Amino acid sequence: MTAVAPDNVDPIGSAKAEPSLTPILTLVADGMEQVNAVIIDRMQSRIPLIPELAGHLIAGGGKRLRPMLTLACADLVGYAGDRHYKLAAAVEFIHTATLLHDDVVDGSGLRRGRKTANIIWGNSASVLVGDFLFSRSFELMVEAESLKVLHILSNASAVIAEGEVNQLTAQRKIDTSEEQYLDIIGAKTAALFAAACRISAVVAGRSEEEEQALDVYGSNLGIAFQLIDDAIDYESDGATMGKDAGDDFRDGKVTLPVILAYARGSDEDKAFWKAAIAGHKISDEDLAHATGLLRHTGAIADTMARARHYGQMAIDALDRFDAGAAKAALIEAVEFAIARAY
């Protein structure tokens, strides 16, 4: 999805004062035990470093939102089989592999409040174990015995890689457009959310329309999720985010808040952003100044407004499904993703 969100976005209704993941966690608790068993089993290897390194990230406190979405969507469409457990594990392996690779590319030192694998074991080991997990994910896809599922997840993997390369080419380029940026996050983040949701309708044998509805739900949730991440990189702290505050700023990543602030800034502001994104202004004082500019221009507030816009589109995509615990949990998952910024 590359369309730019309109300026006059409507916020998601605040039916719940403090949205949480509790409803979806409760809904999929039994299923996630099955998924976790598959994950633990398939990350094993005769090479001890592989499960040691993979386990460091897999057991590192992540929410496992993507496999939970696969299970919740399976519940939504009334799937009564068990193929979705392996597919949910495949989704998590794809996600974990991309995180291992991302941390190497970004030179990250902290993820989920812990040292990254590349800091502990080195870049080479992290890349190779990421490759191992990608391979395991494809084994699990094949075992699902659905060419359509294999196509959806393998295509998502390719799209994610394209998005990462696109982001790499845009790094430190202050003239990156909002449209290009939405294209980047639509690929590197939203594609796996979309695939994780859609495959449940496939294994359940539901209609193409329901597949597409879940795809739209997941894609828009993924974009909203990433936009909130962009905002809280400047508004939160390491303890809250599980990564170093200002990582995007110091890495020269041109995220939506920066794009908006640069477009709205004075000539002096633009000169600051050019120097900062080029890597010439990365001190704590520079980060504080950048955050001040983001607030002054309304860039953070508008990034959150766009996230609410995409979140509402995700919720609207569920209109065709009957009310129930699964639908309510999926809606609250969107509300939680947005509420992380407040």
Side-chain angles (χ1 to χ4, degrees):
M1 180 178 299
T2 60
V4 178
D7 292 330
N8 56 333
V9 294
D10 296 320
I12 294 175
S14 55
K16 303 178 181 67
E18 294 185 7
S20 76
L21 289 178
T22 299
I24 196 169
L25 286 167
T26 301
L27 180 76
V28 304
D30 291 341
M32 282 304 295
E33 289 187 8
Q34 300 287 333
V35 174
N36 290 334
V38 174
I39 289 172
I40 296 300
D41 178 59
R42 294 307 181 91
M43 74 180 204
Q44 300 307 313
S45 167
R46 63 185 179 84
I47 310 300
L49 177 60
I50 291 177
E52 183 182 2
L53 191 154
H56 173 76
L57 186 54
I58 289 173
K63 299 179 184 68
R64 296 195 180 171
L65 179 57
R66 293 154 189 82
M68 285 197 294
L69 289 172
T70 300
L71 299 189
C73 287
D75 191 298
L76 181 71
V77 298
Y79 179 59
D82 59 8
R83 288 191 292 167
H84 60 318
Y85 298 138
K86 287 184 177 180
L87 292 176
V91 166
E92 184 65 8
F93 278 157
I94 292 170
H95 176 56
T96 304
T98 62
L99 294 184
L100 287 170
H101 290 168
D102 286 353
D103 286 342
V104 171
V105 171
D106 295 340
S108 301
L110 190 68
R111 181 176 289 280
R112 298 170 184 164
R114 309 171 75 197
K115 287 184 178 179
T116 53
N118 52 296
I119 294 297
I120 299 173
W121 288 280
N123 289 341
S124 297
S126 292
V127 169
L128 293 172
V129 172
D131 292 344
F132 173 86
L133 294 178
F134 265 126
S135 300
R136 282 287 194 244
S137 73
F138 278 90
E139 288 180 350
L140 291 165
M141 293 178 213
V142 171
E143 290 172 21
E145 298 182 341
S146 168
L147 284 177
K148 191 168 189 178
V149 164
L150 182 60
H151 171 73
I152 290 169
L153 287 176
S154 60
N155 180 69
S157 298
V159 169
I160 292 166
E162 287 178 335
E164 295 291 356
V165 174
N166 195 8
Q167 179 171 266
L168 185 63
T169 61
Q171 191 167 0
R172 301 200 182 279
K173 291 185 178 179
I174 193 62
D175 58 349
T176 301
S177 68
E178 182 175 350
E179 183 177 10
Q180 182 185 2
Y181 183 65
L182 289 172
D183 185 56
I184 289 170
I185 65 174
K188 81 180 193 70
T189 302
L192 188 56
F193 274 85
C197 296
R198 182 177 181 179
I199 56 177
S200 294
V202 176
V203 295
R206 302 300 288 257
S207 68
E208 180 70 22
E209 290 75 19
E210 290 192 3
E211 282 184 38
Q212 289 298 328
L214 292 183
D215 189 284
V216 170
Y217 167 83
S219 180
N220 282 290
L221 171 56
I223 292 175
F225 192 92
Q226 185 61 57
L227 290 177
I228 293 297
D229 267 6
D230 293 347
I232 63 178
D233 186 71
Y234 290 93
E235 289 281 38
S236 191
D237 54 42
T240 302
M241 293 185 295
K243 66 174 185 175
D244 294 325
D247 269 0
D248 290 349
F249 176 75
R250 294 188 177 91
D251 291 341
K253 289 184 179 178
V254 183
T255 57
L256 185 58
V258 174
I259 292 170
L260 297 178
Y262 179 75
R264 298 168 182 177
S266 65
D267 289 344
E268 182 181 354
D269 295 341
K270 285 182 166 65
F272 169 81
W273 283 117
K274 287 179 180 178
I277 296 303
H280 303 313
K281 289 183 177 293
I282 59 172
S283 68
D284 290 345
E285 292 76 14
D286 293 325
L287 174 60
H289 182 63
T291 302
L293 292 177
L294 292 169
R295 291 171 180 163
H296 176 71
T297 58
I300 292 178
D302 283 352
T303 296
M304 293 179 183
R306 281 162 169 75
R308 291 195 296 272
H309 167 78
Y310 286 106
Q312 188 61 58
M313 288 198 293
I315 291 172
D316 291 346
L318 298 178
D319 284 348
R320 69 179 301 112
F321 299 101
D322 294 335
K327 183 174 180 178
L330 288 166
I331 290 172
E332 189 156 354
V334 177
E335 294 171 341
F336 170 80
I338 304 299
R340 293 179 304 139
Y342 297 93

